[in-house]
Amino acid sequence: MNAEDYMNIALEEARKAQERDEVPIGAVLVDSKSGVIIAQNGNRTRELADPTAHAEVLVIREGCEKAGTQRIPDCDLYVTLEPCVMCAGAISFARIRTLYFGAQDPKGGAVIHGPEFFNQKTCHHKLEIHSGIFEEDCGQILKDFFAGKRNKA
């Protein structure tokens, strides 16, 4: 499998999140050596009544639990939207090897926007970052979701 295949799975997780009336963001955690998917999920903040239940955090939690450790440096993370500062922190603390994300988030993103988390002196983890994989599709699902919310109001 390649980056596009994993991002397609993340997009499917985003669609499932949308069906649950969650903000449609999906994530996939992959073993970088074998290419095996370790965890996949979408946002579940409303379902779990947990503001930290972002897709990225959920797959990192599952990956760490399966590995039996707090750090998973041999894992790559694919997510449909640029991670927020909370998720960037989790990615750093988990020592994720490579981050791939689809759409940029100028309002709430923390990787290439806002605080640029991984460029801060206080961030002790440097990782490889790739953006723009299926950027249009990843962004469109969010635009459609929020347009639907505005039309219902």
Side-chain angles (χ1 to χ4, degrees):
M1 292 181 59
N2 61 31
E4 289 80 14
D5 296 324
Y6 295 121
M7 192 60 76
N8 268 324
I9 295 168
L11 270 166
E12 184 55 37
E13 290 297 331
R15 289 183 196 97
K16 290 178 187 176
Q18 184 174 22
E19 290 170 9
R20 295 187 302 270
D21 199 33
E22 299 276 1
V23 175
I25 299 170
V28 176
L29 186 69
V30 177
D31 181 301
S32 61
K33 293 179 180 174
S34 69
V36 170
I37 294 173
I38 296 167
Q40 59 190 71
N41 216 326
N43 277 0
R44 293 182 182 273
T45 60
R46 295 176 64 128
E47 175 187 344
L48 300 175
D50 179 357
T52 70
H54 289 197
E56 302 95 308
V57 171
L58 293 173
V59 299
I60 289 169
R61 284 178 184 161
E62 185 176 341
C64 288
E65 184 177 333
K66 285 179 177 178
T69 183
Q70 72 199 37
R71 294 192 174 142
I72 44 178
D74 294 325
C75 289
D76 297 334
L77 179 65
Y78 296 80
V79 62
T80 56
L81 184 67
E82 176 182 353
C84 69
V85 70
M86 175 185 71
C87 293
I91 290 164
S92 173
F93 289 128
R95 302 298 194 256
I96 298 293
R97 184 184 80 119
T98 306
L99 169 65
Y100 299 85
F101 66 88
Q104 294 183 20
D105 185 0
K107 291 182 182 178
V111 177
I112 60 174
H113 291 96
E116 297 181 21
F117 187 90
F118 299 105
N119 291 330
Q120 298 303 314
K121 292 178 188 175
T122 54
C123 181
H124 303 293
H125 179 59
K126 300 300 176 201
L127 72 162
E128 197 173 321
I129 299 168
H130 302 276
S131 67
I133 301 168
F134 297 138
E135 183 170 11
E136 189 174 316
D137 293 335
C138 292
Q140 193 62 51
I141 191 172
L142 287 157
K143 289 175 188 171
D144 292 346
F145 176 78
F146 288 113
K149 292 288 186 192
R150 284 190 297 277
N151 290 338
K152 288 181 182 179

